């Protein structure tokens, strides 16, 4: 009897590690955490234990079982782990091509619709084509979460082709011939416009199309929430607790360290309500561009403001609609502005060394003193007694405080995606 019990436990742990690997492939630590929860899903999915397990249980399991996925090691003495890692990297590469897959599918749809409006002589029954696209209704975090659930979080059932197929399934289109008269009298001409509308389904509609049941929807939402670290500021996150009109913060600099830091506030009256993407604003979701603007303006001769960086980020695919910024904004955006950006993961020693050397560090923080969800800030120095100085675009008050290093390390985001949660920035 005892042997049967132990055997069952071993099988469960094997299943756990497999799901950890599947999750890690798509979401780093958080994805792996969700993988562990999945193994014990029947017992805990409807309870708050999910959150406890996701936050507390997985770090030990991940660091013990999958070091090369987390740290980017290219080899392992354990064949199964190496095989898992190789698969993880291939799926990650496919996810990075989703935007290209989407554009290819849009181009295919347009050509197919145009061909369907040709007569037997090969002549078009329209005079012009007008295409409207409405994409990113399902942002990348949602896409990864839904794709993972659709594959039962089985990494080895996923492939580049299956991810392309998911891209195709989330895109829908419609078309119609619209006529209008141009000119008057004898010179009047009828213009026929082939109107093509293309969009990607939002998460709920995509899950409807895939036939997700309630458990699968809940599982996708859990994956999404752990992957995304939503960077959405609330009104009461403002200095003074919200309410009232926005303040013009003027020209603020911090000169109490070896590197003078130019400070920008998200809620500054000059740009608080300016757009970030289609649905965001600078005050609501542009902590990433604001942090990048701070380091660029501090380390180079350029003076770029949060809305300028936000405009570039949105135009180049770094805005996650309805969520905030993808982590890749920091290394890629830094390079765009001529800076050297090095992701150091959770390496506390390298973090302290960088700050002691006068370098700036961009950090993404998780729930705690700086945010209830996710929030990019700049670490701008360290005092002689080890206190960390920050430039927090969401709060001038927090930017004037000194913070315990342990608190910063404990509240930093868990995922190592794009080299985070700490990025050392140099000129």
């Amino acid at each position: 009897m005892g042997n049967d019990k132990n055997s069952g436990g071993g099988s469960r742990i094997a299943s756990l590690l497999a799901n950890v690997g599947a999750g890690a492939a798509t979401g780093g630590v958080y994805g792996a955490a969700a993988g562990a929860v999945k193994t014990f899903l029947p017992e805990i999915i409807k309870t708050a234990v999910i959150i406890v397990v996701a936050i507390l249980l997985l770090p030990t399991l991940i660091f013990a079982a999958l070091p090369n996925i987390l740290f980017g090691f290219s080899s392992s003495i354990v064949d199964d782990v190496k095989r898992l890692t190789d698969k993880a990297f291939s799926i990650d590469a496919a996810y990075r091509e989703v935007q290209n897959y989407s554009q290819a599918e849009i181009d295919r749809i347009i050509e197919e619709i145009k061909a369907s409006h040709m007569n037997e002589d090969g002549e078009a029954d329209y005079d012009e084509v007008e295409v409207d696209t409405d994409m990113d209704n399902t942002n990348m975090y949602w896409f990864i979460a839904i794709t993972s659930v659709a594959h039962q979080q089985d990494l080895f059932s996923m492939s580049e082709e299956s991810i392309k197929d998911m891209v195709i399934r989330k895109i829908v289109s419609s078309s119609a011939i619209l006529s209008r008269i141009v000119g008057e009298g004898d010179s009047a001409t009828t213009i026929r416009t082939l109107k093509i509308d293309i969009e990607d389904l939002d998460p709920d509609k995509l899950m409807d199309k895939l036939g997700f049941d309630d458990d699968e929807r809940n599982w996708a939402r859990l994956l999404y929430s752990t992957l995304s670290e939503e960077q959405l500021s609330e009104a009461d996150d403002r200095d003074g607790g919200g309410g009232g009109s926005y303040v013009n913060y003027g020209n603020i600099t911090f000169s109490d360290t070896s590197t003078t830091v130019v400070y920008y506030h998200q809620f500054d009256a000059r740009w608080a309500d300016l757009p970030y993407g289609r649905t965001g604003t600078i005050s609501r979701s542009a902590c990433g561009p604001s942090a990048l603007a701070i380091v660029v303006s501090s380390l180079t001769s350029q003076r770029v403001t949060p809305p300028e960086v936000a405009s570039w980020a949105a135009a180049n695919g770094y805005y996650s609609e309805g969520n905030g910024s993808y982590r890749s904004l920091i290394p890629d955006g830094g390079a765009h502005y001529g800076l050297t950006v090095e992701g150091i993961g959770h390496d506390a020693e390298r973090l302290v060394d960088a700050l002691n050397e006068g370098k700036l560090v961009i950090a993404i923080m998780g729930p705690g003193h700086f945010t209830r969800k996710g929030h990019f800030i700049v670490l701008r120095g360290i005092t002689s007694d080890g206190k960390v100085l920050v430039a927090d675009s969401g709060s001038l008050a927090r930017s004037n405080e000194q913070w315990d290093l342990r608190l910063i390390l404990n509240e930093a985001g868990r995922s190592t995606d794009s080299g985070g949660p700490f990025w050392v920035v140099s000129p």
Side-chain angles (χ1 to χ4, degrees):
M1 188 74 173
N3 289 337
D4 290 341
K5 183 176 181 180
N6 290 335
S7 176
S11 175
R12 199 68 178 283
I13 293 299
S15 176
L16 168 64
L17 293 180
N19 285 324
V20 167
T26 57
V29 174
Y30 275 131
V37 177
K38 175 178 180 289
T39 304
F40 298 92
L41 187 62
E43 291 85 357
I44 64 176
I45 191 166
K46 294 183 180 179
T47 73
V49 178
I50 286 180
I51 304 302
V52 175
V53 173
I55 294 173
L56 301 179
L57 174 62
L58 262 296
T60 300
L61 292 171
I62 295 165
F63 280 96
L66 298 170
N68 48 346
I69 285 180
L70 291 177
F71 301 111
F73 297 163
S74 59
S75 62
S76 170
I77 59 174
V78 181
D79 288 342
D80 285 347
V81 175
K82 184 178 185 303
R83 188 168 67 95
L84 183 62
T85 304
D86 290 342
K87 182 66 174 179
F89 286 150
S90 71
I91 296 303
D92 178 67
Y95 276 128
R96 293 176 188 275
E97 292 297 316
V98 164
Q99 189 170 1
N100 291 332
Y101 300 156
S102 296
Q103 188 58 55
E105 177 62 8
I106 291 171
D107 293 342
R108 187 197 66 78
I109 290 172
I110 292 172
E111 292 306 312
E112 184 179 83
I113 292 175
K114 287 166 63 177
S116 71
H117 287 276
M118 306 288 284
N119 60 31
E120 294 179 354
D121 296 326
E123 298 175 339
D125 59 8
Y126 54 84
D127 301 300
E128 61 185 18
V129 178
E130 179 182 325
V131 179
D132 287 335
T133 58
D134 180 14
M135 303 298 290
D136 208 25
N137 293 305
T138 292
N139 66 41
M140 193 60 191
Y141 294 125
W142 265 118
F143 182 79
I144 290 174
I146 292 172
T147 301
S148 183
V149 172
H151 289 82
Q152 298 298 304
Q153 203 138 335
D154 178 3
L155 182 65
F156 289 97
S157 72
M158 300 171 69
S159 66
E160 181 181 8
E161 289 306 314
S162 71
I163 291 172
K164 285 182 179 179
D165 179 68
M166 187 63 72
V167 169
I168 292 171
R169 299 184 73 174
K170 79 183 180 79
I171 297 176
V172 295
S173 64
S174 62
S175 64
I177 297 288
L178 305 178
S179 298
R180 72 181 190 279
I181 297 175
V182 177
E184 298 179 355
D186 294 339
S187 62
T189 303
T190 299
I191 302 295
R192 297 164 301 172
T193 301
L194 174 58
K195 179 73 162 52
I196 303 174
D197 293 301
I198 302 174
E199 66 177 345
D200 67 329
L201 299 172
D202 65 32
D204 285 330
K205 290 179 180 177
L206 179 56
M207 288 188 284
D208 285 343
K209 186 174 183 178
L210 296 171
F212 276 20
D213 60 24
D214 287 343
D215 284 345
E216 288 169 323
R217 288 171 184 273
N218 288 335
W219 186 241
R221 291 187 184 103
L222 174 61
L223 284 174
Y224 171 75
S225 65
T226 54
L227 282 169
S228 65
E229 294 174 319
E230 289 181 346
Q231 304 136 37
L232 301 180
S233 299
E234 305 294 341
D236 55 5
D237 290 333
R238 295 169 55 183
D239 289 323
S245 58
Y246 293 122
V247 174
N248 185 325
Y249 284 85
N251 300 315
I252 297 175
T253 58
F254 294 104
S255 55
D256 50 352
T257 65
S258 60
T259 300
T260 298
V261 173
V262 176
Y263 176 74
Y264 297 119
H265 203 295
Q266 286 175 251
F267 291 90
D268 194 299
R270 290 171 290 181
W271 48 65
D273 286 333
L274 293 181
Y276 183 26
R278 288 185 294 121
T279 60
T281 62
I282 303 301
S283 61
R284 177 76 167 142
S285 53
C287 58
S290 297
L292 194 55
I294 287 172
V295 299
V296 171
S297 297
S298 301
L299 297 178
T300 74
S301 59
Q302 306 171 74
R303 287 294 179 268
V304 294
T305 61
E308 290 175 298
V309 179
S311 178
W312 178 85
N316 288 278
Y318 295 100
Y319 177 61
S320 174
E321 199 68 49
N323 177 77
S325 305
Y326 293 115
R327 285 175 167 226
S328 55
L329 168 65
I330 305 307
D332 294 356
H336 169 73
Y337 287 103
L339 296 170
T340 298
V341 182
E342 181 182 11
I344 60 171
H346 294 88
D347 193 325
E349 183 176 353
R350 293 176 69 187
L351 172 62
V352 172
D353 287 346
L355 293 175
N356 278 324
E357 292 168 5
K359 296 177 180 177
L360 300 183
V361 177
I362 294 180
I364 184 165
M365 306 302 293
H369 290 72
F370 295 91
T371 178
R372 283 171 288 180
K373 295 181 179 179
H375 184 52
F376 288 98
I377 65 173
V378 176
L379 311 184
R380 58 183 179 84
I382 191 166
T383 66
S384 58
D385 59 350
K387 299 292 187 181
V388 178
L389 304 174
V390 309
D392 179 352
S393 66
S395 171
L396 182 58
R398 290 195 294 267
S399 300
N400 282 311
E401 294 185 44
Q402 298 182 1
W403 299 90
D404 287 338
L405 175 63
R406 181 177 298 179
L407 181 146
I408 297 292
L409 293 170
N410 287 342
E411 293 187 5
R414 300 292 183 186
S415 172
T416 56
D417 178 42
S418 296
F422 298 107
W423 294 267
V424 178
V425 188
S426 309

